[in-house]
Amino acid sequence: MTRNEPGGLMKPARLWPNSLSGRLFITGALVASVVLSLSALILTQAYRSSAESAFDDRLDVYTKILTGAFASQILDDGEIGDPGNTGEQRFRQPLSGWYWVVRDRSDGRFLAASDSLTGETLDLPPDMPFEVDAAGLKKGYLTGPDGRYLRIVERDILVGESALSIAVSGDAGSLQAGIAAFQWTVLVTQTVFGVALVLLIIFQVRFGLRPLSAISRGLTRIRNGESRRLDGTFPTEIEPLVTEMNALIQSNQDVIDRARTQVGNLAHALKTPLSVITNEADKTPSPFAEKVREQAVLMRTQVQVYLDRARMAAQSRGSITSTPVRPVVERLVRVMLKLYAHRETGADVDIPDTLRFSGERQDLEEVLGNIIDNAFKYGARHVTVRARLPENGIANGLMTMEIDDDGPGIPLADREKALGRGRRLDETSAGSGLGLHIVSEIAELYGGSLSLDDTPGGGLRVRLRLPATESPPE
Amino acid sequence: MRVLVVEDDPDLNRQLVAALKEAGYAVDSATDGEEGHFLGDTEPYDAVILDLGLPVKHGISVLEDWRRDGRTHPVLILTARDRWSDKVAGIDAGADDYVAKPFHIEEVLARIRALVRRTAGLASNEIACGDILLDSRTGSVTDGGKPVKLTSHELRLLSYLFHHKGRVISRTELIEHLYDQDFDRDSNTIEVFVGRLRKKLSADIIETVRGLGYRASDPQ
């Protein structure tokens, strides 16, 4: 009874639990139960047979003694009487459970009985449909007078012309007690074994499946960007899976790298001709040249926008990278200090060492490069870059970065424009305005956001939220 | 001032060289990283324009090697992709400024001027020596407010001396920084131009330091 799941996975119906541990445990427990129960049954049965056999042998001794006694009596005077000392006192104790009776086989008449019977009769059916063993001894259980449970054997003998049956019974109580005691022992032992086996199965399952949790941990590390493949040795059954997984990760990365190379090549190929066109147009001003220039700039912007989108789309489908934030910021600040050395602007960086951005370094550099460049360009004395860890430490929660400058800030009314696309707020600086629209778009493509605010000192605060994780402490 | 242009695209290379020459610089050019690296290593330049995406040897690699070998000439990198990753990589490797393609030629010229100025420790585009004022942006020279007409070679010489005002410049250094490598260097040329400059300028601001070279300084 199976169902086809989408993707071609066949799952057995709800008979089996949906967990390897569960399956292993239940099969183990079932097998253990069956084996233990069967062995308990077999052991008990064997013991029972053995005990009964031993008891029957004891009783058979008396049939032989009695046979001897009666045979000589019959040969002497043809009558059966007291057999004398049989060696068993209980044949004389009233209702002891130890009885003997002699019957005439031809008509079933009771010829003699032990004193212990005290005149009662044993309810022996004429045919005595008991089991017969190989030696011709009939044996079985019987309920005697006063309800006592008896074990009885009977032997058919022929003395002269008399066909007799001599039956000897013993109190089955002790026999039963012995068997019951054994059964109890077996039960207790098997239960203890059962519990031990269950524990052993649990341990075996846990231990056996431990490599799977190693895989799970390895995949988490990959997802956090701390590693790019599953490292380590794995059991031979799982090794192919691990190899394939690493190959898959690698091929995903190759796809992205190829896409990026193609994209990069396209950018390179287009930008130089655009540069040439722009400069030629600048040389001979004319309405035509102006038009050419304007369109070339538009082309460049559009190319950039779509190339960025293509790259990020390829990224989100496969690549799982993470970039430590602090080194990127420090490098950017170092570069800005060099580029704006003549302004003597100072900078502060306050970022936890464990903070990692869940994305490519280039994208973080692009976003922060634009923002920090603006901060230096429009800041007067000081720029601060700080970041806070993602809330609750959840993987791919959002971190908050704040880049403050002590410059003039952006008036509330102009902020929307600054974040808008293709619009330049500052016409005097080289480059495409503040570049905040690019930053905003990248942030949104990553599932984050960009917003503008005031610092207490009146400068601009750029608040950037991006997916981030915290690398575990070393 | 002597500038090196390392750019593999022939059209762009030609445009840059032409624009720089017109602005009064002596220009050498290379079209691949290895050639560019060699030139930067062996010749003295006042500024270098370095494209990053070069054949044979990558721009970043050229830059790193220059800095490691102690070459301190200011470098302006050209980035094909206007990405901060490239700019950061370039600046961190030792470049001093960047320009992204596509660019205005004027922007390149302005940044080169700024780099040369900053290397000389000058704060503004105007350098004065007594009454003589040089505007490095426009290339105009005024003497007490009156414009002075100089040939391109004379201007180059004056500009170099002014940028290194107060320092004695040897004849060799002047030759190396004023002429590109194809120029047929005759050691007399410098004397001729110094003589002509002195004639055109009212004050005695170019000093001959016997056996060592020339120096531009404020008149005593």
Side-chain angles (χ1 to χ4, degrees):
Chain A
M1 205 169 49
T2 56
R3 292 179 311 213
N4 263 343
E5 295 255 322
L9 274 175
M10 298 243 284
K11 271 168 87 167
R14 281 145 293 151
L15 279 169
W16 289 105
N18 191 17
S19 113
L20 281 177
S21 310
R23 294 162 76 101
L24 287 172
F25 179 77
I26 288 200
T27 27
L30 271 174
V31 167
S33 316
V34 166
V35 164
L36 285 175
S37 308
L38 266 175
S39 71
L41 269 161
I42 291 170
L43 274 172
T44 312
Q45 194 50 43
Y47 183 81
R48 180 191 297 274
S49 298
S50 163
E52 283 173 356
S53 189
F55 201 79
D56 293 344
D57 285 344
R58 276 175 68 196
L59 295 175
D60 199 28
V61 166
Y62 295 118
T63 61
K64 292 195 176 108
I65 291 174
L66 289 169
T67 305
F70 292 139
S72 51
Q73 283 180 3
I74 289 172
L75 289 171
D76 277 348
D77 53 21
E79 286 287 322
I80 299 176
D82 188 306
N85 187 12
T86 53
E88 177 55 70
Q89 289 298 330
R90 286 176 281 190
F91 286 135
R92 300 195 187 278
Q93 287 167 8
L95 298 177
S96 65
W98 288 79
Y99 312 124
W100 52 262
V101 292
V102 182
R103 296 186 297 165
D104 189 325
R105 214 161 349 117
S106 49
D107 54 15
R109 227 173 2 114
F110 279 88
L111 297 174
S114 62
D115 294 338
S116 47
L117 213 42
T118 58
E120 304 270 356
T121 49
L122 284 181
D123 192 8
L124 294 168
D127 297 327
M128 278 273 278
F130 294 145
E131 56 172 293
V132 183
D133 76 5
L137 185 70
K138 290 174 275 184
K139 38 187 151 176
Y141 285 96
L142 192 69
T143 309
D146 82 334
R148 198 186 283 267
Y149 200 55
L150 306 172
R151 177 74 179 169
I152 187 162
V153 301
E154 188 178 58
R155 204 173 259 290
D156 294 337
I157 57 168
L158 190 63
V159 181
E161 285 147 10
S162 315
L164 304 173
S165 290
I166 302 185
V168 176
S169 80
D171 183 4
S174 59
L175 179 65
Q176 297 296 83
I179 292 173
F182 183 78
Q183 261 178 336
W184 178 247
T185 309
V186 163
L187 190 69
V188 167
T189 314
Q190 299 296 66
T191 307
V192 168
F193 279 158
V195 167
L197 263 175
V198 161
L199 289 173
L200 202 66
I201 289 172
I202 292 175
F203 170 74
Q204 175 193 7
V205 164
R206 282 263 162 87
F207 179 72
L209 292 182
R210 209 186 297 167
L212 291 184
S213 60
I215 288 188
S216 172
R217 278 196 303 276
L219 286 176
T220 308
R221 285 172 55 88
I222 291 174
R223 206 161 56 78
N224 279 344
E226 285 156 39
S227 111
R228 287 195 162 227
R229 41 177 287 118
L230 282 173
D231 287 313
T233 42
F234 292 93
T236 43
E237 290 87 351
I238 307 179
E239 195 70 55
L241 173 70
V242 171
T243 310
E244 285 305 311
M245 206 172 287
N246 282 335
L248 182 65
I249 293 170
Q250 185 60 45
S251 102
N252 269 352
Q253 196 56 43
D254 290 345
V255 163
I256 289 162
D257 290 342
R258 268 200 302 276
R260 188 173 296 132
T261 312
Q262 301 283 51
V263 156
N265 291 344
L266 176 60
H268 189 84
L270 285 178
K271 286 207 171 173
T272 305
L274 280 173
S275 213
V276 170
I277 294 175
T278 312
N279 286 320
E280 288 296 321
D282 284 339
K283 271 201 211 145
T284 42
S286 73
F288 173 69
E290 189 49 44
K291 197 49 141 188
V292 166
R293 167 149 228 291
E294 175 192 291
Q295 295 301 312
V297 168
L298 271 172
M299 270 192 271
R300 179 199 159 206
T301 315
Q302 286 303 308
V303 157
Q304 194 58 55
V305 162
Y306 285 103
L307 290 179
D308 282 340
R309 281 195 190 156
R311 178 179 55 77
M312 277 179 230
Q315 214 164 282
S316 62
R317 224 173 284 131
S319 171
I320 311 137
T321 41
S322 96
T323 312
V325 175
R326 202 188 161 92
V328 168
V329 173
E330 285 178 343
R331 195 182 188 205
L332 274 169
V333 167
R334 212 166 44 231
V335 163
M336 296 305 165
L337 287 172
K338 190 173 184 186
L339 286 174
Y340 292 95
H342 51 285
R343 285 166 161 253
E344 294 177 2
T345 312
D348 271 327
V349 172
D350 177 19
I351 296 176
D353 283 324
T354 53
L355 186 60
R356 304 178 79 99
F357 163 59
S358 304
E360 302 272 336
R361 184 169 64 90
Q362 299 171 330
D363 294 331
L364 186 64
E365 271 179 337
E366 189 61 25
V367 158
L368 289 177
N370 264 299
I371 299 174
I372 299 178
D373 185 42
N374 285 338
F376 270 80
K377 205 183 293 182
Y378 300 108
R381 281 263 107 78
H382 204 79
V383 171
T384 316
V385 182
R386 75 174 77 83
R388 287 199 294 275
L389 294 167
E391 282 123 25
N392 306 324
I394 298 171
N396 292 338
L398 296 177
M399 69 165 163
T400 307
M401 289 190 77
E402 283 168 357
I403 299 98
D404 295 346
D405 65 59
D406 54 359
I410 299 179
L412 213 55
D414 297 329
R415 283 184 196 165
E416 276 313 300
K417 228 196 295 179
L419 293 174
R421 290 245 259 109
R423 304 283 241 101
R424 284 177 54 170
L425 190 59
D426 174 19
E427 300 281 321
T428 59
S429 297
S432 51
L434 292 170
L436 286 181
H437 59 276
I438 298 171
V439 170
S440 187
E441 183 158 320
I442 296 178
E444 269 157 37
L445 276 165
Y446 269 100
S449 66
L450 179 75
S451 61
L452 301 175
D453 205 350
D454 295 308
T455 62
L460 183 68
R461 166 171 293 170
V462 178
R463 190 173 285 115
L464 175 68
R465 308 194 78 207
L466 288 173
T469 58
E470 200 179 336
S471 65
E474 290 301 307
Chain B
M1 300 297 167
R2 194 168 166 201
V3 177
L4 171 64
V5 173
V6 189
E7 165 62 65
D8 64 315
D9 180 273
D11 286 325
L12 206 50
N13 192 314
R14 217 180 320 119
Q15 279 180 351
L16 282 166
V17 169
L20 285 164
K21 278 192 176 153
E22 204 182 302
Y25 296 95
V27 186
D28 288 336
S29 86
T31 50
D32 69 69
E34 200 170 301
E35 196 192 342
H37 175 237
F38 176 72
L39 282 173
D41 245 2
T42 51
E43 304 280 342
Y45 293 104
D46 297 290
V48 175
I49 297 177
L50 178 68
D51 182 34
L52 286 187
L54 293 169
V56 185
K57 191 169 172 154
H58 194 270
I60 298 279
S61 182
V62 171
L63 191 46
E64 283 173 346
D65 286 349
W66 276 341
R67 292 310 183 219
R68 198 179 34 243
D69 296 337
R71 309 299 291 163
T72 55
H73 44 238
V75 174
L76 175 73
I77 47 174
L78 300 179
T79 61
R81 318 157 198 212
D82 189 13
R83 321 235 85 229
W84 274 99
S85 304
D86 293 329
K87 298 173 196 170
V88 164
I91 306 285
D92 217 25
D96 298 273
D97 205 352
Y98 68 88
V99 167
K101 297 184 197 175
F103 50 74
H104 286 262
I105 278 286
E106 289 86 49
E107 190 178 346
V108 172
L109 294 176
R111 288 187 187 267
I112 289 288
R113 239 189 345 259
L115 281 179
V116 167
R117 219 176 54 226
R118 262 186 258 154
T119 315
L122 299 167
S124 82
N125 274 317
E126 294 179 335
I127 311 169
C129 213
D131 279 336
I132 320 293
L133 188 71
L134 165 69
D135 184 337
S136 63
R137 204 161 19 116
T138 56
S140 65
V141 179
T142 52
D143 185 351
K146 286 199 304 270
V148 179
K149 204 157 178 340
L150 299 175
T151 67
S152 63
H153 285 253
E154 290 164 358
L155 177 60
R156 234 185 258 174
L157 175 59
L158 186 69
S159 177
Y160 196 85
L161 288 172
F162 267 38
H163 270 87
H164 299 277
K165 186 173 141 182
R167 183 163 77 83
V168 179
I169 320 282
S170 70
R171 204 181 305 131
T172 319
E173 187 180 335
L174 281 171
I175 292 172
E176 283 189 332
H177 281 264
L178 298 183
Y179 303 107
D180 60 49
Q181 53 176 175
D182 301 324
F183 193 81
D184 184 17
R185 299 159 193 206
D186 182 346
S187 60
N188 265 344
T189 321
I190 299 293
E191 273 85 14
V192 170
F193 284 123
V194 170
R196 283 203 211 150
L197 264 178
R198 281 185 175 138
K199 280 207 201 91
K200 289 188 182 180
L201 300 172
S202 63
D204 197 10
I205 50 158
I206 299 177
E207 185 193 331
T208 305
V209 179
R210 202 161 206 111
L212 289 174
Y214 299 98
R215 171 168 55 198
S217 51
D218 293 311
Q220 256 46 37

